[in-house]
Amino acid sequence: MNTVVLQRSCRKRLLKMPSFRQVFLGLVVMLAMLIVGLIVYPIILTLISTFVQGGALTAAPFEKAVQARGFGTILYNTAIYTAGSLFLSCAIGMFLAWANERTDARIDSLAGILPILPLMVPPIGSALGYVMLFANNSGIGNITLRYIFGIETGGPISILNFYGLIAVSSLSLAPVVYLIVSAALRNLDPALDEAARVFGASPRRTLLKITLPVVGPAIASAALLVAIHAVSSFTFPFIIGTSAGITTLSVHIYRLFAIFPPDSQSAVAVSVALLLFVYLGLYFQLRVARAVGRAVVAGKSSSSSVVKLGPWRYLVRAFFVIYLAAVILPVVGLVIGSLQPYLGAAPSQFSLDNFRTVLANFETRHALINSFSLGALAATINMVVAGVLMFASMRMLKKSGPLIEYSLMVPAVIPHIVLAVALIVAFSGPPFYLYGTKLLVLIAYCVMFVPEASRAASSAVSQASEELSEAAHVAGAGLFRTLTKVVLPQVVNGLLAGWVIVFFLAVNEVTASSFLGGLNSAVVGHVAIDYFANGRLSEVAAMTLIVTLVTATVVFAASGIIGRAYVARR
């Protein structure tokens, strides 16, 4: 009798215990709330602490920021830089997309990788490499050109001006335009071109009257996206613009925090203005992006849709070669700069002393270790969180799932400099006191790069077979066993690819790192900006090369693992 009562009591307790599914969904809710909180809390607290004084709204911080000396010039510089980068990057990206997708000038062995090569060079490496080569008097490239052509004055190429700043930034932004426009061209129905030619239209008239109007929404979408990136860019304006005497809004915000005492209210006011401009651009970008699906006619390219350029093909390929050289040049400049004891030194003075200094110096060695460890930790946390949330939203929460997906994408529309300012205001004081700590840098990395992690996780989960999961469920497997034995083996390669992306972005991040890094939490971005401001360019070049080599090794190793796994599955 007692045994029967005990069995019934145990059964009741087991029924009251939460199942793994309930625990998993509870974890999903907590993770989603945590991410939203880490985004919303700093932004709201920053706005309240700045624009609410004495219990009433005030515009005093805006007035102070606008009335500051030279603010009109800063706005003018930002407008010129944004417009110039927008025009040149769109011209380069559109030309590469058209030449690769619609002409016979494409170089098949390089067609896929050439246009996106700038994405593989860290922005600080690209900017610093060009400075090392083409600083007006001391750049090794200018010294060589003066020697070859017998020029006695400075130059002949100067990168430290608006033209150089815009050109270098545009090379970095052109792949964004290329990826969007090339996809639109690839989906364009070739029958439209063929019909135009049947009616006697020349290739030039076909391009102007058929191709461009149809892919126009994609071009507009790419242009607005580039404008958003350019207006909030920090690395290029700081590295090149500082030496050229050009200050943009993002650099101005950094300097407002760098002065003593920091003018946080003016910095927040300018950040809010920058954020509003970005959201305005995003609003138009989304409206235009919706038109892409309506304007582009689905189709499949064919050989008959390819434009035969004849002798002009070689001129287009020459442009490809020039573009490739422009991408490789800063890497060459970094290598040369890292070997120089000082900018402009003769080749006879080249040595590996800068690498020895970087690896022996406690601050730089500590920064390298922190960057790699925090990058790896942020990538791991982001992929675990994104993987769990994306699986739940796509497979278990059909109604509320899209809300989770949208919340993961919110940081993508917040400039890094604005997010860094908000995190400083929210977490530097009581009760957190996190300013200058590794935890705050880690929080920033996790929040900033969760959109990239969610995209990778979404792609991985969408490719996993739902039929296999259903079969496991029918066979009696619980949710935990299905996740670990069925789903995880299918998505692990996609999650690894996302891990590599987040790791690369976090290690090479400069904007937020320059704000949030401190004595005990120095990372490469923070130390690089500090050293650059103090004229230690050769050490920055050596440190940047070390980071580039390590991240490239990680990327290639992960690519090899993913490739072997793909071949094994086939």
Side-chain angles (χ1 to χ4, degrees):
M1 184 69 178
N2 291 334
T3 303
V4 174
V5 173
L6 181 63
Q7 288 176 346
R8 289 176 179 175
S9 177
C10 291
R11 192 177 297 113
K12 289 180 180 179
R13 290 179 182 178
L14 287 173
L15 290 173
K16 292 180 180 179
M17 290 179 63
S19 65
F20 178 77
R21 180 184 178 86
Q22 292 173 317
V23 172
F24 182 78
L25 291 177
L27 176 64
V28 167
V29 172
M30 287 190 294
L31 288 176
M33 291 178 64
L34 177 62
I35 292 174
V36 172
L38 287 175
I39 300 168
V40 174
Y41 171 74
I43 298 293
I44 292 179
L45 186 63
T46 300
L47 294 175
I48 292 175
S49 62
T50 304
F51 299 107
V52 178
Q53 298 177 6
L57 288 173
T58 177
F62 271 124
E63 295 173 0
K64 181 181 178 182
V66 171
Q67 293 172 2
R69 182 179 179 183
F71 188 75
T73 303
I74 293 172
L75 285 178
Y76 173 80
N77 291 343
T78 305
I80 294 296
Y81 168 65
T82 302
S85 300
L86 173 63
F87 174 79
L88 187 57
S89 60
C90 285
I92 295 172
M94 289 165 57
F95 184 81
L96 287 172
W98 173 76
N100 250 351
E101 300 295 337
R102 310 297 288 183
T103 75
D104 62 347
R106 61 178 284 145
I107 305 173
D108 290 333
S109 57
L110 296 175
I113 193 68
L114 178 63
I116 60 173
L117 273 178
L119 297 178
M120 302 180 186
V121 181
I124 191 170
S126 180
L128 187 61
Y130 270 109
V131 171
M132 292 285 190
L133 283 174
F134 299 117
N136 192 37
N137 294 314
S138 54
I140 190 66
N142 276 330
I143 292 174
T144 303
L145 290 173
R146 287 200 297 268
Y147 175 79
I148 293 174
F149 296 105
I151 301 173
E152 296 182 0
T153 57
I157 299 174
S158 178
I159 204 74
L160 303 179
N161 49 47
F162 259 126
Y163 301 107
L165 174 60
I166 289 171
V168 175
S169 298
S170 298
L171 281 174
S172 179
L173 293 171
V176 176
V177 180
Y178 168 81
L179 290 172
I180 295 175
V181 176
S182 64
L185 288 172
R186 206 173 300 123
N187 291 331
L188 181 63
D189 193 339
L192 297 175
D193 286 1
E194 293 168 6
R197 292 176 193 175
V198 167
F199 285 97
S202 64
R204 175 176 169 275
R205 187 173 179 81
T206 302
L207 173 66
L208 295 176
K209 297 296 184 179
I210 302 296
T211 306
L212 286 181
V214 173
V215 300
I219 295 173
S221 179
L224 287 167
L225 195 58
V226 167
I228 291 171
H229 281 289
V231 76
S232 58
S233 176
F234 171 77
T235 304
F236 293 109
F238 186 84
I239 298 294
I240 297 176
T242 298
S243 302
I246 300 169
T247 301
T248 61
L249 282 175
S250 57
V251 177
H252 180 57
I253 294 170
Y254 170 79
R255 289 174 180 165
L256 288 172
F257 270 105
I259 61 175
F260 185 82
D263 189 355
S264 58
Q265 287 198 341
S266 294
V268 170
V270 178
S271 299
V272 170
L274 184 64
L275 186 62
L276 291 175
F277 181 87
V278 169
Y279 280 165
L280 182 63
L282 179 68
Y283 169 76
F284 286 109
Q285 196 267 341
L286 291 175
R287 284 183 63 103
V288 172
R290 292 192 190 101
V292 174
R294 296 193 297 268
V296 176
V297 180
K300 189 175 181 180
S301 61
S302 65
S303 58
S304 60
S305 64
V306 173
V307 177
K308 307 293 184 182
L309 295 179
W312 292 98
R313 177 179 57 182
Y314 301 104
L315 185 61
V316 173
R317 288 185 173 177
F319 176 83
F320 287 161
V321 173
I322 295 172
Y323 179 81
L324 179 62
V327 174
I328 295 175
L329 267 179
V331 180
V332 175
L334 271 183
V335 173
I336 295 174
S338 67
L339 299 175
Q340 294 177 304
Y342 54 88
L343 197 60
S348 59
Q349 297 176 286
F350 288 6
S351 70
L352 297 174
D353 287 346
N354 290 313
F355 291 96
R356 298 189 187 97
T357 301
V358 167
L359 295 176
N361 181 277
F362 173 79
E363 184 180 22
T364 51
R365 187 174 66 248
H366 194 54
L368 288 168
I369 294 172
N370 283 344
S371 286
F372 293 135
S373 58
L374 289 174
L377 188 57
T380 302
I381 293 173
N382 272 9
M383 292 317 302
V384 171
V385 171
V388 169
L389 292 180
M390 294 309 299
F391 176 82
S393 65
M394 297 173 69
R395 296 289 180 86
M396 302 174 68
L397 303 172
K398 300 298 184 181
K399 293 183 178 180
S400 57
L403 183 61
I404 294 177
E405 295 182 35
Y406 294 146
S407 67
L408 292 176
M409 296 305 299
V410 170
V413 298
I414 303 177
H416 289 185
I417 196 165
V418 175
L419 185 60
V421 169
L423 290 174
I424 290 174
V425 173
F427 294 111
S428 60
F432 302 103
Y433 298 105
L434 293 181
Y435 182 69
T437 65
K438 296 179 186 177
L439 180 57
L440 187 58
V441 178
L442 179 62
I443 290 173
Y445 289 169
C446 289
V447 173
M448 286 188 300
F449 302 122
V450 74
E452 287 77 11
S454 65
R455 290 191 193 104
S458 174
S459 176
V461 172
S462 65
Q463 293 176 6
S465 172
E466 290 192 56
E467 288 77 8
L468 291 178
S469 299
E470 293 171 359
H473 178 70
V474 170
L479 179 60
F480 178 78
R481 189 172 180 82
T482 301
L483 286 174
T484 55
K485 298 297 184 181
V486 179
V487 177
L488 186 59
Q490 296 181 77
V491 303
V492 66
N493 287 329
L495 296 180
L496 178 60
W499 188 96
V500 171
I501 293 171
V502 175
F503 175 78
F504 179 85
L505 293 173
V507 170
N508 290 290
E509 207 283 328
V510 173
T511 306
S513 300
S514 62
F515 278 76
L516 303 175
L519 293 176
N520 298 320
S521 59
V523 288
V524 168
H526 174 76
V527 174
I529 293 297
D530 184 49
Y531 277 23
F532 178 85
N534 288 286
R536 301 168 67 174
L537 274 65
S538 297
E539 291 178 48
V540 177
M543 188 165 51
T544 304
L545 268 182
I546 292 172
V547 171
T548 302
L549 289 173
V550 172
T551 52
T553 301
V554 171
V555 170
F556 283 120
S559 299
I561 294 172
I562 295 171
R564 287 194 296 272
Y566 176 76
V567 172
R569 283 204 308 269
R570 293 191 67 183

